[in-house]
Amino acid sequence: MRFVVELSYDGTRYHGWQVQQNAHSVQAELNTALAKLLGNPVETIGCGRTDTGVHALQFFAHFDNPTPLPHNFIFRVNKILPNDIAIHEVYKVNDTFNARFDATYRLYEYHLHSKPDPFLVNRSYYRYGSLDFGAMNLAAQKLFDYTDFECFSKTRTQVYTFNCKIMQAKWQKTHESRHVFTIQADRFLRNMVRAIVGSLIDVGSGKLTIQGFEAMIQSKKRTEAGLSVPAHGLYLKSIGYDYTLTPFEKIDE
């Protein structure tokens, strides 16, 4: 039987989602907790990757188990997991469902603040100085005119295409000194969001014009784009699925 867990995590202590040798990962913690509770090895498949230090407000992972899940599954597995990872829901899905490949979109937020705040350490990127968010939003709108985003991709990465369909991209002020960049696409390249944000900050600081931003995209060269902003300001906020094709049957606790 195939099940899906919906979870969230603080990525501060982890080298991203995916299991790696000699590195602490969210997936390894989840696999270990599930195996301990269910009494057999469990290999989860996540809805995507997050890099070291990146947080997830919503994340889905599927796994197979030969028997129904035990009573109070969510409560019991959360007792095993560290307190910076939490499972919120569990669903029964069809055996062909894949948390990664069946996702129709992913939505990220990047949090930025311009005044020191001890409560935002490891939660938002502190950048001193004013930025022209109007110009940054005008530049962000140019993303809709393109599909090839190789210039924002981490180099030496193995992907079959650099094409992504951007569905949403905008900056919003959430507080006197805080802004959030929201971006949604069918898929993202490694390091893509952080490189986009870094390039938009170059526009907002006057280092790069909007025309230069477009030329950078057209160049398809990572060396032409801005620096990647720190990972701790990035959040995977939501994942989309076509629930008419793959119904999520919620398991009552």
Side-chain angles (χ1 to χ4, degrees):
M1 289 178 279
R2 182 155 294 183
F3 300 95
V4 172
V5 287
E6 181 180 350
L7 63 146
S8 60
Y9 55 84
D10 178 335
T12 303
R13 296 194 307 122
Y14 301 98
H15 287 77
W17 157 259
Q18 191 162 344
V19 169
Q20 305 167 58
Q21 286 189 343
N22 304 317
H24 194 200
S25 72
V26 177
Q27 186 181 27
E29 288 283 1
L30 182 58
N31 288 352
T32 299
L34 290 172
K36 184 174 181 179
L37 177 61
L38 299 176
N40 49 258
V42 175
E43 294 293 333
T44 56
I45 303 294
C47 57
R49 292 182 176 183
T50 54
D51 291 335
T52 299
V54 175
H55 315 295
L57 299 175
Q58 184 182 56
F59 197 93
F60 291 94
H62 80 256
F63 65 94
D64 295 329
N65 199 61
T67 60
L69 300 182
H71 183 61
N72 284 342
F73 168 81
I74 295 176
F75 172 78
R76 293 169 68 183
V77 76
N78 279 333
K79 290 283 285 183
I80 301 171
L81 285 166
N83 59 15
D84 49 9
I85 303 172
I87 290 179
H88 306 293
E89 298 289 352
V90 59
Y91 308 92
K92 176 76 172 63
V93 293
N94 62 54
D95 292 344
T96 62
F97 173 78
N98 187 293
R100 178 183 176 188
F101 295 115
D102 287 352
T104 57
Y105 74 79
R106 294 160 176 86
L107 188 149
Y108 282 89
E109 285 184 348
Y110 194 85
H111 291 239
L112 178 75
H113 62 289
S114 58
K115 290 185 178 179
D117 188 331
F119 298 104
L120 295 178
V121 174
N122 293 326
R123 300 288 185 276
S124 175
Y125 170 40
Y126 168 60
R127 186 193 179 281
Y128 176 77
S130 61
L131 292 170
D132 184 345
F133 286 94
M136 291 161 70
N137 268 330
L138 289 175
Q141 295 305 300
K142 298 298 181 181
L143 294 168
F144 297 115
D145 297 333
Y146 299 90
T147 56
D148 187 325
F149 296 105
E150 184 174 359
C151 73
F152 298 125
S153 175
K154 192 170 185 177
T155 57
R156 295 186 297 276
T157 185
Q158 295 180 339
V159 293
Y160 63 90
T161 177
F162 292 101
N163 288 352
C164 307
K165 181 183 178 182
I166 304 293
M167 305 168 183
Q168 182 181 170
K170 62 180 178 182
W171 286 93
Q172 290 179 302
K173 187 175 183 178
T174 59
H175 185 268
E176 178 187 357
S177 61
R178 302 180 196 174
H179 287 79
V180 173
F181 178 63
T182 301
I183 185 166
Q184 179 182 352
D186 60 343
R187 63 189 291 267
F188 287 94
L189 305 169
R190 290 191 66 187
N191 202 59
M192 179 174 168
V193 179
R194 291 163 59 196
I196 288 176
V197 172
S199 301
L200 291 174
I201 287 175
D202 284 347
V203 173
S205 64
K207 182 179 177 180
L208 183 68
T209 65
I210 295 175
Q211 294 75 20
F213 182 79
E214 279 201 274
M216 178 188 66
I217 297 173
Q218 294 166 3
S219 76
K220 301 183 181 181
K221 296 179 180 179
R222 180 65 186 92
T223 53
E224 296 296 316
L227 297 176
S228 293
V229 288
H232 62 258
L234 184 60
Y235 295 74
L236 176 57
K237 185 178 183 182
S238 64
I239 308 292
Y241 293 100
D242 188 340
Y243 296 104
T244 61
L245 295 179
T246 306
F248 278 33
E249 180 185 340
K250 186 176 177 180
I251 298 176
D252 292 330
E253 290 284 293

